[in-house]
Amino acid sequence: MSLHAYEDKYALSLGVELNEDGSIIPSSVILTPSVISVDYRLTYDQVDEMLDEGVGYAEEWQLGALLAAATKRRSHRVNRGSTEGMVPFPIPKGMVTANYDEQLGEYDISLKIETTHNSGANITTGGGDDICDAHYDPYCTPVSSSQLIVTEMMIMAGEAIGKWQMQQAAQKENDVGDAIQLSNELKLPFRRQPAPDFKSRNAEKRQMDFLYEMGKRYPHAWYARRFFNKVNVSEEPGPHFGMGLDCYVHAALKRYLRRKRVNAMLREGTTIPSSITKMDLGCELPKEED
């Protein structure tokens, strides 16, 4: 969905309320068809600048509120054992650019190293002195506040829509009186990941902890990868260790579901069509029972 200024766009709006610890209040999840009309668009850099200069806490106070919610959500997931807490200094990504100067007849080569979009407990440029001191990486630039907002809001949406689906299934037999109760036949792709088995791999766990204690941040991040279990996609909800969540709906289908299939379910009670392929999911589709 492309958002252009002063143009109405059909969307699916998702609303939640958070507890003080950043967890979602299940009964607060609202999912409804909507119409969106924006006044103007903002880039990541523009949002970072507005937050740095204080505009994001005054005239555009919604940005500051989003950053506060995103910070709370990141802390919540870290406290639940997400990879951002287990690996506070992940291996950064590097980007090499080469531009040819025709006048000089030579290439201008530059190297940019930055942390990953979901790095660390709260590695942001606007996260506060305590956070930056505790998770400062001298080898790469921190993730921006705008990136933290987008990352955490997308992850929260994936969790919220999963909780919404679970709640709808639980209410299937409820008596709604004269109201029309649509059958919830929507099947969502839940991403699930079991927690690492540290108990049976105690020696390896001690080695990983030793690397961290010795300040070997990148070797620690690389060594930690061996503990992560394979992620699987299922129609049955389940916890995702890496994200620190009880449930999470696959991100690859999020936009597609919101705009097309969830709207259809809300209005008509229809199911996701068989036209969705494994390319849409990035994995094999669950087989239907005969």
Side-chain angles (χ1 to χ4, degrees):
M1 179 177 64
S2 298
L3 295 178
H4 300 288
Y6 305 110
E7 289 186 10
D8 290 343
K9 295 289 184 178
Y10 292 105
L12 191 65
S13 291
L14 179 66
V16 302
E17 293 182 18
L18 300 178
N19 290 307
E20 288 299 320
D21 63 354
S23 61
I24 295 176
I25 302 175
S27 60
S28 72
V29 180
I30 299 174
L31 195 63
T32 179
S34 61
V35 177
I36 293 178
S37 179
V38 301
D39 294 336
Y40 54 89
R41 302 173 66 179
L42 292 172
T43 65
Y44 284 89
D45 290 339
Q46 288 172 334
V47 171
D48 288 332
E49 183 178 351
M50 294 170 74
L51 289 169
D52 291 340
E53 295 181 353
V55 178
Y57 302 96
E59 295 92 335
E60 304 289 346
W61 59 268
Q62 295 91 340
L63 295 176
L66 283 173
L67 179 58
T71 303
K72 180 183 292 188
R73 283 289 299 175
R74 176 61 63 88
S75 297
H76 165 67
R77 295 195 303 107
V78 167
N79 291 335
R80 288 178 55 85
S82 70
T83 54
E84 290 90 351
M86 181 178 172
V87 187
F89 298 99
I91 298 173
K93 58 182 180 181
M95 181 173 61
V96 178
T97 57
N99 298 312
Y100 182 70
D101 191 323
E102 295 183 355
Q103 293 182 347
L104 298 176
E106 59 184 30
Y107 283 94
D108 178 25
I109 301 176
S110 62
L111 171 64
K112 181 179 181 181
I113 302 177
E114 58 184 11
T115 189
T116 57
H117 69 282
N118 63 336
S119 174
N122 264 314
I123 305 181
T124 67
T125 55
D129 294 336
D130 293 339
I131 292 175
C132 290
D133 289 343
H135 298 279
Y136 174 66
D137 191 334
Y139 300 105
C140 60
T141 58
V143 66
S144 71
S145 298
S146 59
Q147 289 176 315
L148 179 67
I149 290 174
V150 173
T151 299
E152 288 303 322
M153 292 302 105
M154 290 181 66
I155 292 176
M156 183 173 67
E159 180 189 11
I161 200 171
K163 288 183 178 296
W164 171 82
Q165 197 271 353
M166 294 165 61
Q167 189 175 38
Q168 296 299 310
Q171 296 176 350
K172 185 175 182 179
E173 303 299 330
N174 287 358
D175 183 10
V176 294
D178 297 331
I180 298 176
Q181 175 72 59
L182 298 178
S183 59
N184 185 5
E185 300 176 350
L186 183 65
K187 296 179 180 180
L188 299 179
F190 288 89
R191 285 180 65 90
R192 309 189 305 184
Q193 184 185 44
D197 184 10
F198 291 130
K199 184 176 294 186
S200 65
R201 304 172 65 180
N202 189 44
E204 294 176 273
K205 176 63 164 58
R206 290 200 304 269
Q207 177 64 28
M208 182 180 69
D209 293 340
F210 174 76
L211 289 172
Y212 185 78
E213 292 170 0
M214 294 297 293
K216 307 298 184 181
R217 295 171 175 176
Y218 295 161
H220 168 266
W222 185 264
Y223 196 89
R225 294 183 178 186
R226 66 180 60 197
F227 291 99
F228 298 143
N229 290 310
K230 182 180 179 181
V231 173
N232 63 79
V233 179
S234 171
E235 294 175 358
E236 294 297 323
H240 191 296
F241 168 79
M243 290 187 173
L245 301 176
D246 293 329
C247 65
Y248 178 74
V249 173
H250 198 295
L253 269 182
K254 204 173 298 171
R255 180 181 300 178
Y256 189 74
L257 288 171
R258 289 174 185 168
R259 294 181 56 194
K260 304 283 186 183
R261 300 306 172 233
V262 176
N263 265 328
M265 179 267 171
L266 288 172
R267 292 173 175 146
E268 303 172 9
T270 57
T271 61
I272 299 177
S274 58
S275 59
I276 294 180
T277 68
K278 64 180 182 180
M279 295 300 294
D280 298 311
L281 284 173
C283 66
E284 294 292 338
L285 287 166
K287 294 182 179 180
E288 296 184 0
E289 297 181 359
D290 296 332

